[in-house]
Amino acid sequence: MKIVTSVVEMIDLARTCRSGGSILALVPTMGALHRGHLSLLSIAGEHADCTVMSVFVNPTQFGPDEDYLKYPRTFDADCRAAESAGCDILFAPPVEEMYPPGHRTSVSVSGITERLCGASRPTHFRGVTTVVLKLFNIVNPHVAIFGAKDAQQATVIKRMVVDLHCPTRVIVGPIVREDDGLALSSRNGYLTPAERAVAPLIHRGLGNAEALFAGGERHADVLRDAVRNECAQSELIDPEYVEIVDQLTLEPLSLITSSALLAIACRMKESATRLIDNTLLGAVP
Ligand code: PAF
């Protein structure tokens, strides 16, 4: 695996791979790699013969009171994990390379970034789309793989790709979970032991809603209550939202006529860790 830290070198290398006929896949990450990220690399390997994983803790997607400084940085372990998962190029630029002095340009997708997570993180998605477009410009990948846990992020990036004619196909890989159902996240390490013990209630709540949906329930308020009631079993879980929305427009639905995204964000009360999770109701697998 080649490790590249310079933007210019990454542009040249990607160009050389492309002109040699390689299909390039990009897996953008902020590092602190876990099995979820590695599963995205394996999807990348199915679609491309050159896989690039970026490891960049992107400052612009963190709000002023968020965890940018304490976000886990585990570069050496990330390199080992990426290499053993078959990554060809690991791109880890410094902040000054990604945001050159005097930078003034950002990319924002309106509307769909303002609800769900965007309601409490008003600048988050602008940071995400800005850095993802930068990565697309640098690597020019044929495909890019994102995780389904960040469902709103995937929807926003797909919108940007269509709107800005990015010649990159976006693939969304399934959520990877711990044995007890907790969705893997680099932030799970912040949880206190008591929070970690009750965090699987979030996934169990989603499962309860899935079971009701499978039994014919289509009213969003009933399905949302199924999630909220499960989470209410622990006072350590403070749901920020439980929403049922159209997967493309992220508009709230009161009645599900075909498929829908059921998404939840919670604040864990001891560590203030924010966890998100979701499931697609009625989606064709
Ligand atoms: O999902 C993430 O880890 C980040 O939001 C991403 C897509 C790598 C952009 O920084």
Side-chain angles (χ1 to χ4, degrees):
M1 183 181 77
K2 195 168 168 50
I3 299 175
V4 177
T5 56
S6 143
V7 167
V8 171
E9 197 189 329
M10 187 64 243
I11 292 173
D12 283 349
L13 190 58
R15 216 177 258 159
T16 308
C17 292
R18 247 190 190 252
S19 57
S22 287
I23 302 293
L24 269 117
L26 171 68
V27 180
T29 80
M30 297 206 299
L33 300 182
H34 51 62
R35 284 184 291 114
H37 297 114
L38 303 182
S39 75
L40 303 182
L41 255 184
S42 122
I43 295 172
E46 290 164 18
H47 292 270
D49 33 44
C50 178
T51 54
V52 182
M53 174 174 263
S54 59
V55 170
F56 179 67
V57 185
N58 174 35
T60 62
Q61 69 189 76
F62 291 80
D65 300 326
E66 293 183 357
D67 56 343
Y68 174 64
L69 290 175
K70 81 163 194 182
Y71 195 83
R73 286 158 173 88
T74 56
F75 188 66
D76 293 342
D78 289 349
C79 289
R80 286 193 297 274
E83 182 160 31
S84 53
C87 177
D88 296 305
I89 303 170
L90 187 126
F91 177 49
V95 174
E96 320 75 68
E97 285 257 333
M98 289 300 275
Y99 291 95
H103 67 92
R104 301 292 304 159
T105 309
S106 60
V107 182
S108 58
V109 175
S110 64
I112 55 173
T113 54
E114 284 147 34
R115 39 188 143 260
L116 302 176
C117 291
S120 66
R121 307 185 76 192
T123 57
H124 171 69
F125 289 109
R126 187 177 64 212
V128 170
T129 43
T130 300
V131 82
V132 168
L133 190 64
K134 284 169 183 278
L135 291 167
F136 283 6
N137 286 337
I138 294 165
V139 177
N140 193 13
H142 296 85
V143 288
I145 330 290
F146 295 86
K149 182 171 72 68
D150 296 286
Q152 185 175 14
Q153 169 173 282
T155 299
V156 168
I157 289 167
K158 282 182 179 170
R159 187 71 256 167
M160 176 188 79
V161 161
V162 171
D163 291 352
L164 299 184
H165 311 285
C166 300
T168 296
R169 181 173 154 222
V170 171
I171 296 177
V172 180
I175 299 178
V176 179
R177 300 182 179 281
E178 300 285 5
D179 289 345
D180 61 10
L182 177 63
L184 294 193
S185 162
S186 304
R187 291 187 167 104
N188 288 351
Y190 298 156
L191 297 174
T192 65
E195 288 173 340
R196 176 62 190 83
V198 297
L201 289 172
I202 300 167
H203 175 242
R204 219 188 296 162
L206 294 175
N208 293 350
E210 282 169 355
L212 286 172
F213 185 84
E217 181 58 63
R218 294 294 181 267
H219 291 92
D221 50 356
V222 176
L223 297 165
R224 279 200 315 259
D225 282 351
V227 184
R228 284 191 176 276
N229 290 342
E230 194 68 35
C231 291
Q233 288 191 43
S234 169
E235 55 186 24
L236 295 179
I237 303 178
D238 184 12
E240 180 184 297
Y241 67 74
V242 179
E243 293 282 356
I244 293 188
V245 297
D246 178 275
Q247 205 196 335
L248 288 181
T249 64
L250 304 183
E251 288 291 342
L253 300 173
S254 50
L255 198 66
I256 304 174
T257 51
S258 55
S259 63
L261 172 71
L262 166 55
I264 176 168
C266 306
R267 185 72 66 183
M268 303 303 282
K269 284 194 184 157
E270 287 181 346
S271 63
T273 305
R274 192 170 177 281
L275 298 180
I276 57 172
D277 203 343
N278 69 81
T279 186
L280 282 177
L281 298 172
V284 184

